[in-house]
Amino acid sequence: MAEANKTGLAVVGGGPGGYAAAFLAADLGLDVTLIDEQPNPGGVCLYRGCIPSKALLHAAKVITEAREADHFGVQFGEPKIDLDRLRSWKDSVVAKMTSGLGQLSKARKVRYVQGRAALLDAHTLEVRNAQEARKIAFEHAILATGSRPATLPNFDLNSQRVWDSTAALELPWVPKSLLVVGGGYIGLELGQVYAALGTKVTVVEMMPTLLPGVDADLVQPLHKRLEKQFAAIHLNTKVGSAKETKSGIQVRFEGEGAGKEQTFEAVLVAVGRKPNSEVPGLENTRVKKTSRGYIEVDPQRRTAEPSLFAIGDVAGEPMLAHKASHEGRLAVEVIRGSKAQFEPLAIPAVVFTDPEIAWCGLTETQAKEQNRDVKIARFPWAASGRATTLNRSDGVTKLVLDAETEQILGVGLAGPSAGELIAEGVLAVEMGALAKDLALCIHPHPTLSETLMEAAEALYGTSTHIYRPKK
Ligand code: FAD
Ligand code: NAD
């Protein structure tokens, strides 16, 4: 056993929750040790999540835009895809970002320990790697161990043809046909990547819509586009049985999409993620878990064990990188004595498909479920000059407003760059802005951001670019 270390704050897990917490703690003068199995911080988000998927989605966007340029008289011909170079470019993006985090970690004098951590008690960790095992005594620890892909027993086939998101991001090959099980974030983002590379993609989703829970009018433009890009979209459908044959994975669907057996060259299972809450030795502490397996935390991200905090995917939904980072920074403030709580009004969510879908705050669906009296103000992108110059008038911007005060409670967007535009919505919701405030802020022309202003104007029947007088 290597010599024991002592630290003020131990952070277990180097993802966007863990490293954001460790870096802030170091900036504020705490003695910090960050532990992860990878050689550098980054976690799922950088190594096998947000960053590699967005790199591939960028390549997919270029391919699709080049194809669609024909519409305005520009022809490029069919793209030639060098899969090895695409893969190594994607890997270089990951390497650049993770090594950058390693340097930032060093510069801040965060002690980075590579290995797998186990809790010996509420103030001691043991970290093992191939070379050694070392004990680390800590005053406080933040558990930021993240999540992993959920699996389906049907696809427990021990086959190279059955992928989870990590395998799909490796770009093993471009299959002729791909079955995507799960029409959520991962299924649609990676489904679009493979469709752009030339794969015939079929999606099965057990619920009645793609991206269940997201407002239907925001999903519609994406659904329409996917109908053209994908071979088939089966809703209300599950996979009943699956087996490997010489030519691929043979499946039988159950539900609305049921029919003859079909064979796919590969299958991507994207049916959600599970929290990594089985931290070894957790049973040696008072930490509790929720019925869904998350580590139970209070609004300050404390667990039932006073020295231990939990943040990010392991501490509950939404499983998003920016939510993890925000919680990580909050936990550090709390450890330093702040009374702050995790109480955001608007956590933005972005599906990085084409078109992108983004929303924050109260959605129309939630307002209905909660019987809240709201007004909806909408602006169709067909009336946006900027959208038209981009040859993309299929988007929509909408505001969910308190019916009485016209305070902006939520914002939803569908269209290219929706993920960038939603930041204005977050600011509006968090600052308690009224529809009038958005209508009166001068927005640059011609930009897609004007659609937020014009949605607010539409509430009063005075949007410049749509004629819809107030009834
Ligand atoms: P993670 O990033 O999961 O990191 C946890 C780390 O802890 C891992 O490195 C793990 O190895 C380590 N660890 C676990 N147990 C131990 C242990 N005992 N000892 C030492 N280390 C341990 N979110 C977005 O906001 N935007 C996106 O565009 C986006 N795209 C995604 C695309 C894909 C394909 C996937 C899979 C996810 C995506 N996500 C996205 C979700 C995002 O990756 C997660 O929400 C985020 O990574 C959670 O951060 P975290 O810090 O909680 O944990
Ligand atoms: P998801 O929850 O987004 O989607 C899973 C989908 O699979 C759901 O629509 C669900 O109804 C469906 N499903 C579940 N079981 C099924 C079955 N047996 N047959 C058919 N359909 C089934 O999960 P995901 O796509 O795996 O992504 C996991 C999480 O990772 C996301 O929820 C999100 O938090 C995060 N993520 C975020 C981004 C982003 O921010 N852009 C991108 C990727 C992942």
Side-chain angles (χ1 to χ4, degrees):
M1 174 96 51
E3 207 181 310
N5 294 125
K6 271 193 178 164
T7 193
L9 175 67
V11 181
V12 182
Y19 76 74
F23 289 6
L24 176 66
D27 290 347
L28 296 176
L30 295 187
D31 174 88
V32 188
T33 303
L34 175 60
I35 302 139
D36 195 285
E37 289 150 300
Q38 296 286 339
N40 281 307
V44 167
C45 182
L46 278 96
Y47 283 99
R48 47 192 184 279
C50 327
I51 296 298
S53 61
K54 267 76 248 179
L56 296 180
L57 277 159
H58 176 65
K61 184 168 178 244
V62 172
I63 295 170
T64 309
E65 283 188 347
R67 283 198 181 118
E68 293 181 355
D70 187 36
H71 179 78
F72 42 80
V74 180
Q75 287 162 0
F76 290 96
E78 267 310 288
K80 285 196 191 114
I81 291 151
D82 182 333
L83 201 62
D84 291 336
R85 281 180 60 198
L86 179 58
R87 188 186 306 110
S88 57
W89 172 70
K90 178 260 306 172
D91 290 344
S92 75
V93 172
V94 171
K96 192 171 177 183
M97 300 313 296
T98 51
S99 66
L101 287 175
Q103 283 164 17
L104 284 172
S105 190
K106 273 198 194 100
R108 287 180 155 100
K109 307 214 172 4
V110 169
R111 205 174 297 109
Y112 190 76
V113 179
Q114 194 179 350
R116 191 159 177 76
L119 278 157
L120 298 181
D121 59 44
H123 285 281
T124 322
L125 284 166
E126 185 184 80
V127 183
R128 279 181 185 274
N129 58 31
Q131 286 78 44
E132 59 173 26
R134 79 165 70 183
K135 277 189 188 169
I136 300 174
F138 60 84
E139 211 170 309
H140 290 101
I142 297 179
L143 305 175
T145 49
S147 64
R148 62 185 183 283
T151 51
L152 287 176
N154 275 347
F155 289 102
D156 200 4
L157 300 175
N158 192 20
S159 163
Q160 302 283 327
R161 294 182 187 275
V162 177
W163 302 344
D164 59 12
S165 55
T166 307
L169 286 170
E170 285 302 318
L171 290 181
W173 80 99
V174 179
K176 286 200 179 60
S177 59
L178 175 70
L179 172 65
V180 173
V181 186
Y185 283 82
I186 293 177
L188 300 185
E189 287 185 1
L190 295 184
Q192 260 190 340
V193 166
Y194 277 91
L197 296 177
T199 299
K200 281 192 167 51
V201 176
T202 296
V203 177
V204 283
E205 165 56 52
M206 68 177 186
M207 301 296 282
T209 63
L210 294 175
L211 295 167
V214 181
D215 285 353
D217 56 344
L218 299 182
V219 179
Q220 198 206 20
L222 173 65
H223 192 126
K224 270 192 167 167
R225 208 167 155 79
L226 291 178
E227 277 177 342
K228 291 188 202 127
Q229 293 175 337
F230 287 0
I233 299 172
H234 299 301
L235 302 175
N236 288 315
T237 305
K238 278 182 164 188
V239 174
S241 64
K243 64 177 181 202
E244 185 162 19
T245 65
K246 256 189 189 163
S247 50
I249 305 291
Q250 193 181 65
V251 299
R252 184 183 282 283
F253 297 137
E254 277 175 1
E256 227 168 62
K260 277 192 290 183
E261 282 182 333
Q262 283 188 53
T263 300
F264 297 89
E265 216 178 284
V267 176
L268 165 61
V269 179
V271 293
R273 294 181 63 82
K274 285 193 161 170
N276 291 329
S277 55
E278 305 83 11
V279 182
L282 206 60
E283 64 283 2
N284 303 329
T285 71
R286 283 175 275 182
V287 170
K288 289 190 189 132
K289 292 188 200 170
T290 68
S291 58
R292 301 191 55 205
Y294 294 104
I295 294 182
E296 200 171 283
V297 287
D298 71 5
Q300 292 197 305
R301 294 312 181 243
R302 284 178 196 280
T303 67
E305 179 68 64
S307 60
L308 298 178
F309 288 69
I311 58 149
D313 283 8
V314 76
E317 289 178 331
M319 289 192 178
L320 297 173
H322 41 277
K323 174 255 186 190
S325 308
H326 187 85
E327 283 178 310
R329 292 172 65 92
L330 169 92
V332 169
E333 297 288 1
V334 171
I335 288 166
R336 291 185 72 247
S338 159
K339 296 207 170 2
Q341 299 201 348
F342 185 74
E343 47 191 359
L345 294 173
I347 302 176
V350 183
V351 188
F352 289 90
T353 43
D354 178 17
E356 292 180 357
I357 302 181
W359 65 96
C360 72
L362 187 71
T363 66
E364 196 176 349
T365 311
Q366 287 166 342
K368 274 194 194 121
E369 285 164 3
Q370 296 167 19
N371 265 331
R372 281 187 75 164
D373 204 4
V374 294
K375 285 186 201 166
I376 306 295
R378 250 189 213 90
F379 185 81
W381 285 24
S384 153
R386 187 62 182 133
T388 311
T389 64
L390 297 171
N391 190 30
R392 292 301 300 272
S393 43
D394 52 344
V396 64
T397 298
K398 76 173 184 187
L399 309 176
V400 180
L401 305 157
D402 182 274
E404 208 176 305
T405 63
E406 293 173 359
Q407 185 178 335
I408 302 167
L409 304 175
V411 176
L413 291 143
S417 303
E420 303 290 338
L421 296 168
I422 197 63
E424 182 176 351
V426 174
L427 194 65
V429 174
E430 288 286 356
M431 302 303 284
L434 306 180
K436 202 72 185 175
D437 296 318
L438 210 50
L440 289 177
C441 282
I442 300 176
H443 284 66
H445 180 72
T447 64
L448 297 169
S449 72
E450 288 169 295
T451 65
L452 286 153
M453 174 184 72
E454 291 221 39
E457 290 171 355
L459 178 73
Y460 307 106
T462 60
S463 154
T464 308
H465 295 99
I466 49 176
Y467 180 64
R468 208 166 287 158
K470 205 168 178 188
K471 284 173 206 151

